[in-house]
Amino acid sequence: VQLQASGGGLVRAGDSLRLSCAASGGTFDWYAMAWFRQAPGKEREFVGAVSRSSRYIKTADSVKGRFTISRDSAENMVSLQMNSPKPEDTAVYYCAADGAQRWDYASTDARQYAYWGQGTQVTVSS
C-alpha cells in the first residue's frame, strides 16, 4: 500500500489544522492506521492510531482532547484533526499502515508499522 500525507503547513497556536493520508494500492480495510511525528533532534513519537474496525482508537496523552484520528473506508483515507495546536506540536507528521494487526487493535509502536507515507511538516507559531 502507498500512503500520501497532506494538509501540513504553518498554523498559529489555538487554530485548527487537518491532516489527511490517502492510501492506494491495497485494500484499505486490511490495515491498521496511525500517525506519528518527529521533531528536529527528537525521536519519532506516537500520535494516534485506529484499528481496522475503527472501533479501537488510541491517542497519545500529549495530544488527547486536542487531536482526533479517524478513518474513512469510502475514501481510503485516515485523518488527524488538530485542534488547539501548541508550538510543541511542531514536527513532521507521518502516516503509517500495517496489515498484520488484529481487527480490533492498533499498535502505538512504530516498529509494528510496515508502510509509511512521506511526511508532512506542521509548524505551530506562538
Side-chain angles (χ1 to χ4, degrees), residues 93-122:
Y93 283 71
Y94 298 90
C95 60
D98 188 73
Q101 301 186 33
R102 300 195 310 269
W103 178 246
D104 271 338
Y105 178 74
S107 176
T108 62
D109 185 349
R111 295 169 296 180
Q112 300 301 316
Y113 289 86
Y115 305 98
W116 292 81
Q118 84 289 3
T120 186
Q121 175 71 47
V122 174

Side-chain angles (χ1 to χ4, degrees), residues 36-110:
F36 292 82
R37 67 186 183 185
Q38 188 166 19
K42 295 187 177 181
E43 294 186 353
R44 189 168 297 190
E45 67 171 347
F46 169 75
V47 177
V50 56
S51 66
R52 295 159 63 197
S53 69
S54 297
R55 291 197 294 263
Y56 179 94
I57 294 176
K58 188 73 173 178
T59 308
D61 288 343
S62 59
V63 304
K64 194 166 293 183
R66 299 187 297 119
F67 292 8
T68 302
I69 185 172
S70 61
R71 64 187 294 158
D72 185 338
S73 293
E75 298 292 331
N76 288 354
M77 186 170 296
V78 62
S79 299
L80 184 70
Q81 179 67 39
M82 303 171 62
N83 295 333
S84 301
K86 303 175 182 179
E88 51 263 44
D89 294 321
T90 294
V92 177
Y93 283 71
Y94 298 90
C95 60
D98 188 73
Q101 301 186 33
R102 300 195 310 269
W103 178 246
D104 271 338
Y105 178 74
S107 176
T108 62
D109 185 349

Side-chain angles (χ1 to χ4, degrees), residues 1-4 21-26 28 31 33 75-78 97:
V1 64
Q2 292 80 47
L3 304 175
Q4 181 72 40
C21 177
S24 61
F28 185 68
Y31 299 94
M33 304 296 296
E75 298 292 331
N76 288 354
M77 186 170 296
V78 62

